[in-house]
Every structure is written in C-alpha cells, then in structure tokens.
Amino acid sequence: MALTPLICPSILASDFARLGEEVRALEAAGADWIHVDVMDGHFVPNITLGPDIVKAIRPHTSLPFDVHLMVAPVDPWLEAFREAGADVLTVHPESGPHLHRTLGRIRQLGAKAGVVFNPATPLSILEEVVDLVDLVLIMSVNPGFGGQKFIDSSLRKIAGARAILDRAGSAAHLQVDGGVTSANAGACVAAGADALVAGSFVFKGDYATNIAALKAAPAAGQNVP
C-alpha cells in the first residue's frame, strides 16, 4: 500500500492580505502542516515575513507550523519564531557557523529541529547531525521564490537522504519543497519522501481538490514526466 504523505502547503503562495482566512481554509481542506517560508533578502533574494506575522496567524489553526528559516545568521531568530508559535524550525547548514549547536538549541526550545539541503548542498552533512534532526528538507528548487520548476535530479537526493535516515534508524520526516505537483508527488514518495511542501499547486484552484490530488498521487503511481 502506497504511503500517504503529509501535505504541507506553503503560505508563500497565499493571499497575504488574508492570511488568517487562508490558514483556516487550508486546515478545512485537509492540510497536515502549514509551511511558513521566512526569507530575509540576504540569505535568499526575497523578503517575506517575520515572527509577528507567525504570531498573528497562530490562533487561526491548530495545525503544526513548519517554519523554514532562510535567514543568516539564523541563531538570533530561533527563540522569537518558537515563541511566535513555530512547532518545527528548519535551518540551512550555510545559515550559521555551528549547525550541531543550532539544532540542539531548537530542541532545547521545545521545537522539532530540521535541516535543509539546497540543490548544491552535500548530503554528507546529514551524517554528522542525523541524531539531532526530526525533519530533513530537500529543496527541489533553489530557494527564494515560489513557482519554480522541479529539478528532476532532486529525486536522487531524496533517495540518498532516505538511505542515510534508514541506516541511522531515524524516524525523522523527509520533506520535499519546490515545484511539487500531483505529477511528481508519486516520484518523490517513491524516492523516500513522506512530506510534501506545495505552494503554487495548492493555491491555484480549489484547495481541497489539490491537496487530495497530492495525497492520492503516490497510490496512482504518478511520476515526473
């Protein structure tokens, strides 16, 4: 039986003028997590939102907030986003000098700790911190903007991350973000992912229909064309 992945819509693609309504609609539509992309205009070439926005939308849903910090340096922001309501804090190895310490600090704050791998970031880093991660995020685009095309070679990276997690006996989630649609969701899950971030695909059209399509794609055996 095919795995039904967690669907984590990215509010980067939502209507920022009505964020509270948007996260309520996503929960009603069957989303599992809310993915929050935080960009600082320095680590990535875009600026999105800060902890005050996360705090403002936190009362509008009971779903976990999966906060992807594209911020450098990242350490000074961990506490603020945790206090604002983040349940998962995911960081890039390049966003601070001591990844091991950063992941440990996230756990000390009572959040789940995640690490993100950009297309050019080597998976060997995961071997060194696998005991500290609750989530591994494989970027299937270069971070900074929504609506980009899925990089097909990311499937090999997903499979590589899954092998590392399995060897370590890790229960960490393996998430994919970037250009995810119902056409490639099956391939992502087949490669080892169990959580899918989708922005543009979910928000273009009926949310419930699109989320259901992502959940059903692995069972239908849909792959990257």
Side-chain angles (χ1 to χ4, degrees), residues 3 7 39 54 57 85 92 110 115 118 134 138 151 162 211-213 220:
L3 169 75
I7 305 302
M39 305 180 186
V54 174
I57 61 175
H92 290 252
V115 62
N118 287 338
D134 304 290
I138 301 298
I151 299 172
R162 171 51 61 197
I211 288 171

Side-chain angles (χ1 to χ4, degrees), residues 8-147:
C8 318
S10 168
I11 60 171
L12 180 64
S14 70
D15 181 351
F16 274 32
R18 45 194 285 272
L19 276 177
E21 183 180 341
E22 291 277 52
V23 296
R24 291 197 303 272
L26 290 170
E27 181 170 8
D32 297 293
W33 295 355
I34 301 296
H35 188 81
V36 182
D37 287 303
V38 177
M39 305 180 186
D40 66 356
H42 168 69
F43 186 69
V44 291
N46 198 3
I47 297 173
T48 53
L49 47 81
D52 285 347
I53 302 298
V54 174
K55 183 178 180 179
I57 61 175
R58 178 67 277 182
H60 291 270
T61 179
S62 62
L63 295 180
F65 274 10
D66 164 29
V67 178
H68 175 190
L69 295 173
M70 289 166 272
V71 176
V74 73
D75 288 351
W77 291 102
L78 301 177
E79 188 168 349
F81 278 100
R82 174 57 178 159
E83 290 180 351
D87 298 285
V88 184
L89 290 168
T90 310
V91 300
H92 290 252
E94 301 91 345
S95 65
H98 304 295
L99 178 62
H100 189 280
R101 179 182 295 161
T102 300
L103 295 170
R105 178 58 180 154
I106 292 170
R107 286 185 156 191
Q108 286 176 352
L109 291 170
K112 301 291 187 182
V115 62
V116 192
F117 292 88
N118 287 338
T121 305
L123 279 177
S124 56
I125 293 170
L126 180 55
E127 302 269 12
E128 307 301 327
V129 296
V130 68
D131 59 327
L132 287 175
V133 296
D134 304 290
L135 174 72
V136 176
L137 171 54
I138 301 298
M139 293 301 300
S140 43
V141 299
N142 285 292
F145 298 96

Side-chain angles (χ1 to χ4, degrees), residues 2-7 135-138 140 150 154-155 157-163 165-166 172-177 180 184-197 214 218:
L3 169 75
T4 300
L6 297 172
I7 305 302
L135 174 72
V136 176
L137 171 54
I138 301 298
S140 43
F150 184 92
S154 302
L155 294 172
K157 200 158 198 171
I158 297 166
R162 171 51 61 197
L165 292 174
D166 287 350
H173 287 291
L174 179 52
Q175 188 180 64
V176 185
D177 182 6
V180 173
N184 55 40
C188 291
V189 173
D194 62 11
L196 304 174
V197 176
L214 289 170

